[in-house]
Amino acid sequence: MDGKIIHDGIHGSMKLTGIILDLVKTPEFQRLRNIKQLGLAYLVYPGANHTRFEHSLGTWYVAKRLATELGLEKDESMLLQVGSLLHDIGHGPLSHTFETIYKHYVKEKDHMALGQEIILGNINITEEEDGGRIPEILESYDYDFTPKDVARLLRGDHEKKYLGQMLHGDVDVDQIDYLIRDAHYTGVAHGIIDLERLLKVLRIHEGELMVDEKGIEAVEGMMVARSLMYSRVYFHHTVKIAEGMLSRALEFALEEGYLWDFWKMTDCRVLVELEDLEGAPAEIVRRIRYRKLYKAAVLAGANQLTGEEKKELLNAYKNVKRRQEMERALADAVGARESEIILEFSVADLMISEPRLKATEINVLLGDGSVEPFTKVTPLANALKRRQTPRWAVLIASPEKYVPKIREVWKKVLFS
């Protein structure tokens, strides 16, 4: 039989052939089996053990179906499929858990930049001898695109705007797969969207991806699902506490000169390496392993903060050193160790790490042939923009014994 059939929990049987099958066989792609899609969310949602491997396959499958629905010509279709398959190839351990560390410690290596470097053959992220062959595979097939075209598409950048939008737009194949998949594996019904209808109502018009007027409800459903999944799953405060704890463990390691190649690692490997360091990193990893997480001492909404306080916290969000100073000051004030206080933010985080959350700018193709922005056609889009996701803006967590004291002094310590 030509090709390989993979049975997926979301999309059923998917047949892989040719360039797609060759790319899936690479060590870089197989590495994604060992990176959890939702990082540490399994500590709250025990079913959330799915990986970047199956999400990447699912994104490819949705892209293939969308390309067929829209009648893309062969080379365009295959470029979209390859870009969709490889869009997460640069992800480091535990997916988005170490996002702030990429930004502040290893600026040149966020997962998007790494993905592009891997596709161009500039980095071998695995230790396998047969790694680094992705550009060679891409060039061995007679398609009218280069590794550089695929790398650009990962950023949503292509001279044909609609191709970029299909992978990195307001309604794209990446989001379609992760919303359905994450809802399924967490058991949270909010992420369920009408895939079949969405694929049928997207159109290419005047070089852009648009939604047909008849499909407004399908896009509304997707946007509601996205907003609810962010507040219910991705920014669940317990998930953020666990992620914050592990990020601090890695920060301690980096400050001591260890684990600077963490971005090459898989989930298990980074946990083992941190545990081997002893001290604070090892203690934090053991707490995560046995779910002895810190407790939320403060969960404050934006409306509980003055303009000055918000400015101060935004500054701490942008500047890791400032955030660490605040954590140390709080630790000193309550008699805790530095590693026992974590300060996390949501609103700034959403603005920086997931700009699509509030994105509702896909255009609608009306029945008379005119085009209107989605926000003009439905009031729901504007309502979602106004909805604060999640309800907390700042989170302070620590071992339980410090919680009462932190609640007493946090504002005085952070803002006086």
Side-chain angles (χ1 to χ4, degrees):
M1 185 186 71
D2 176 35
K4 191 181 274 296
I5 291 179
I6 291 182
H7 301 286
D8 178 53
I10 302 300
H11 302 299
S13 297
M14 308 185 295
K15 187 173 182 183
L16 279 59
T17 58
I19 192 171
I20 299 298
L21 182 55
D22 284 351
L23 290 167
V24 167
K25 286 177 177 174
T26 60
E28 290 87 348
F29 197 83
Q30 292 295 319
R31 172 181 170 274
L32 298 178
R33 289 180 185 275
N34 299 300
I35 295 175
K36 283 192 172 70
Q37 171 75 5
L38 293 182
L40 295 169
Y42 67 90
L43 292 167
V44 177
Y45 301 100
N49 285 298
H50 56 304
T51 67
R52 291 274 153 189
F53 179 84
E54 62 246 50
H55 163 60
S56 297
L57 281 171
T59 304
W60 158 72
Y61 182 76
V62 176
K64 184 182 178 189
R65 290 194 58 193
L66 180 60
T68 303
E69 289 287 348
L70 293 171
L72 295 188
E73 54 95 9
K74 190 176 84 167
D75 286 342
E76 278 188 5
S77 167
M78 197 47 77
L79 174 58
L80 177 65
Q81 289 182 52
V82 167
S84 300
L85 184 77
L86 300 180
H87 78 284
D88 275 346
I89 201 79
H91 257 294
L94 294 153
S95 291
H96 290 287
T97 299
F98 299 133
E99 205 75 48
T100 55
I101 288 177
Y102 283 108
K103 284 189 183 79
H104 300 284
Y105 284 87
V106 282
K107 292 185 176 66
E108 74 283 6
K109 290 192 179 79
D110 66 26
H111 79 271
M112 292 286 281
L114 274 170
Q116 290 169 51
E117 293 294 299
I118 291 164
I119 288 164
L120 295 171
N122 297 334
I123 285 178
N124 180 4
I125 202 168
T126 72
E127 287 163 7
E128 297 302 302
E129 281 178 25
D130 59 340
R133 287 189 54 245
I134 286 178
E136 189 186 312
I137 291 167
L138 294 175
E139 284 164 349
S140 71
Y141 282 82
D142 193 22
Y143 291 113
D144 186 23
F145 56 80
T146 64
K148 198 173 273 187
D149 294 325
V150 178
R152 275 182 61 200
L153 189 62
L154 254 62
R155 296 196 305 265
D157 173 21
H158 194 271
E159 61 201 35
K160 291 182 176 167
K161 190 176 178 184
Y162 59 83
L163 275 178
Q165 289 172 309
M166 286 176 201
L167 181 55
H168 207 78
D170 301 341
V171 180
D172 61 39
V173 294
D174 175 23
Q175 290 182 84
I176 288 171
D177 183 80
Y178 79 61
L179 287 171
I180 300 171
R181 194 170 295 279
D182 295 349
H184 176 82
Y185 287 106
T186 55
V188 173
H190 296 319
I192 295 167
I193 61 177
D194 191 347
L195 168 65
E196 300 304 321
R197 184 74 177 143
L198 270 174
L199 292 175
K200 293 270 189 285
V201 297
L202 291 171
R203 301 275 180 272
I204 295 168
H205 180 72
E206 294 176 350
E208 275 190 48
L209 188 67
M210 298 189 185
V211 61
D212 191 284
E213 187 176 11
K214 296 188 193 108
I216 288 170
E217 290 81 6
V219 177
E220 285 178 326
M222 177 179 168
M223 288 173 174
V224 170
R226 182 173 63 187
S227 186
L228 294 174
M229 285 293 284
Y230 267 86
S231 46
R232 181 81 190 278
V233 177
Y234 310 139
F235 276 82
H236 189 293
H237 69 273
T238 308
V239 175
K240 291 303 284 184
I241 288 171
E243 289 178 352
M245 288 170 69
L246 198 58
S247 292
R248 300 311 178 272
L250 183 55
E251 281 176 16
F252 276 102
L254 295 172
E255 297 281 354
E256 296 295 318
Y258 299 110
L259 264 62
W260 277 86
D261 60 347
F262 76 89
W263 49 273
K264 286 185 174 181
M265 296 178 186
T266 54
D267 295 4
C268 287
R269 174 83 187 275
V270 84
L271 291 170
V272 167
E273 295 273 356
L274 284 169
E275 202 165 8
D276 282 350
L277 290 176
E278 299 179 351
E283 190 183 314
I284 288 170
V285 170
R286 280 194 288 275
R287 275 181 166 273
I288 285 166
R289 226 185 262 295
Y290 299 108
R291 206 187 181 283
K292 295 177 178 170
L293 305 178
Y294 296 167
K295 301 293 180 201
V298 174
L299 276 171
N303 56 352
Q304 293 166 261
L305 301 164
T306 67
E308 272 309 303
E309 287 167 351
K310 281 183 204 166
K311 205 189 287 182
E312 185 71 34
L313 289 171
L314 198 56
N315 181 32
Y317 176 83
K318 289 176 180 167
N319 183 334
V320 162
K321 294 280 177 257
R322 180 70 191 117
R323 190 208 72 223
Q324 289 169 342
E325 283 167 17
M326 285 179 154
E327 288 170 343
R328 276 195 291 273
L330 260 178
D332 290 345
V334 302
R337 285 172 297 163
E338 185 186 346
S339 59
E340 292 181 311
I341 303 287
I342 62 165
L343 182 57
E344 285 289 316
F345 311 96
S346 76
V347 178
D349 213 345
L350 288 170
M351 292 188 309
I352 291 166
S353 71
E354 188 45 276
R356 288 183 304 198
L357 180 58
K358 305 263 178 172
T360 48
E361 296 311 312
I362 192 165
N363 283 327
V364 179
L365 180 59
L366 300 173
D368 63 3
S370 63
V371 172
E372 287 281 4
F374 197 76
T375 40
K376 287 266 175 67
V377 180
T378 165
L380 186 61
N382 285 315
L384 288 172
K385 280 188 167 183
R386 286 194 303 274
R387 180 179 188 266
Q388 191 192 323
T389 311
R391 285 188 294 276
W392 58 271
V394 60
L395 159 67
I396 303 172
S398 71
E400 198 162 8
K401 62 181 174 181
Y402 303 116
V403 166
K405 185 76 173 147
I406 289 169
R407 284 178 182 160
E408 245 176 73
V409 304
W410 74 279
K411 277 207 167 189
K412 193 172 156 199
V413 172
L414 297 190
F415 304 123
S416 60

